[in-house]
Amino acid sequence: MDPRRKLLIVAFYLAKFNKEAIQNLGYEGFRDAFNKIGAKLDYSPNSVKNRRDDFDPLFGHRAGWHQIELGKSHLEIVESFDHLSEEALRAIVLDLLEEEPLGEILLPITNKQLTPYTTRGVTGKRAETFFMEWFAEHFPNDNLIDTRDLGCGYDFGIENSRHVYEVKGLSGNDGGVLFTDKEWKVAAELKDDYYLVLVKYCFSEDPMIETYSNPHYKFSPKKQITTVVNVSWGISSNDLNNTDTD
């Protein structure tokens, strides 16, 4: 990646998340951050500070360079990264600072590359349908709320309850699942009230359900970044098979 683009991404993160960014990156303050980030990216500390100041007017933590309009390269960074959660953007920044590749770049991908993971396709729809039937049978006194089209970060809630459910499906017993960045962020916020419902053998006559409360705590997913910089969080088949269900 172009060194200047790296600098702008890191600077954008510092500007947007301010003291939270400094704390989560493990720096003692902004001066410490400017010095160490500059050393890693081969820029002067003042350059790091100035690029952070470029983005400051967008977020109100400082006045920054409010008298100067953002250039094309800066606006591209805002458009590409502003929708990401703090956790997702921090993961990208840490990769840049450690000179590691940015996860798996999901360009035109073959079906073979996608086989470990299942998205909201046919399998996911079938899993959601089975879960609704299963829930109605096992919890007849609870009303399931369908939130799939509301962008809540989960598929279903329960009336008069804090519990929410994100349903993922597998055609067999093995495979991993993908969380969108929004789903993963909400899972972190709701903790034990957020349940991953894994429906295995979706296309069989007798699918099997496994539930995992607080998946954000239980699993350590690998982030995947698409060309439009949408971050998802993948839980591997090994993690799913080696973690106790609830």
Side-chain angles (χ1 to χ4, degrees):
M1 181 184 293
D2 174 64
R4 178 174 168 78
R5 180 174 169 82
K6 287 185 180 181
L7 175 61
L8 290 179
I9 294 171
V10 176
F12 175 79
Y13 172 70
L14 294 177
K16 181 172 184 177
F17 293 104
N18 199 37
K19 293 181 180 179
E20 182 182 6
I22 295 299
Q23 179 180 348
N24 288 342
L25 291 178
Y27 297 127
E28 296 180 1
F30 274 108
R31 179 174 296 181
D32 184 43
F34 298 150
N35 288 333
K36 291 179 178 177
I37 290 172
K40 284 180 177 278
L41 299 182
D42 199 24
Y43 279 92
S44 70
N46 199 48
S47 293
V48 180
K49 178 183 182 301
N50 285 337
R51 298 297 71 77
R52 182 210 63 179
D53 292 349
D54 290 342
F55 293 108
D56 274 342
L58 297 176
F59 305 110
H61 301 300
R62 287 161 301 276
W65 299 114
H66 60 89
Q67 69 274 33
I68 302 176
E69 292 187 8
L70 292 178
K72 181 178 179 180
S73 57
H74 289 67
L75 291 173
E76 189 273 331
I77 295 296
V78 176
E79 183 177 355
S80 298
F81 295 94
D82 191 42
H83 66 288
L84 297 181
S85 66
E86 186 279 329
E87 182 181 12
L89 188 51
R90 181 190 351 135
I92 292 172
V93 166
L94 288 172
D95 278 353
L96 293 176
L97 295 178
E98 296 302 322
E99 298 182 352
E100 295 180 1
L102 284 179
E104 295 184 15
I105 307 300
L106 304 181
L107 293 166
I109 325 178
T110 65
N111 289 333
K112 182 177 181 181
Q113 288 173 291
L114 281 175
T115 48
Y117 300 100
T118 303
T119 58
R120 286 281 300 275
V122 177
T123 307
K125 295 290 187 182
R126 191 172 183 89
E128 291 162 1
T129 300
F130 177 77
F131 170 73
M132 288 188 286
E133 297 171 351
W134 176 89
F135 189 91
E137 177 182 350
H138 288 81
F139 302 96
N141 296 322
D142 291 326
N143 292 322
L144 201 64
I145 303 172
D146 189 342
T147 60
R148 286 174 291 178
D149 296 325
L150 301 181
C152 298
Y154 50 85
D155 293 322
F156 301 97
I158 302 177
E159 190 174 296
N160 299 320
S161 172
R162 289 175 52 86
H163 290 175
V164 301
Y165 300 91
E166 176 61 28
V167 181
K168 306 292 184 184
L170 295 175
S171 58
N173 181 62
D174 296 324
V177 296
L178 283 178
F179 280 74
T180 66
D181 185 49
K182 175 66 177 290
E183 292 166 354
W184 200 241
K185 179 182 179 181
V186 174
E189 294 170 349
L190 298 185
K191 298 182 174 63
D192 288 332
D193 290 321
Y194 193 105
Y195 286 82
L196 163 62
V197 178
L198 185 63
V199 182
K200 295 184 173 182
Y201 303 104
C202 279
F203 298 97
S204 71
E205 294 183 359
D206 189 22
M208 180 175 64
I209 279 187
E210 297 176 356
T211 61
Y212 303 87
S213 64
N214 201 350
H216 192 276
Y217 173 78
K218 288 185 175 178
F219 299 106
S220 298
K222 179 180 181 181
K223 70 179 179 304
Q224 299 183 327
I225 306 172
T226 67
T227 53
V228 292
V229 197
N230 288 320
V231 174
S232 55
W233 302 87
I235 299 173
S236 72
S237 175
N238 288 337
D239 283 345
L240 289 170
N241 291 333
N242 292 327
T243 302
D244 294 333
T245 60
D246 294 302

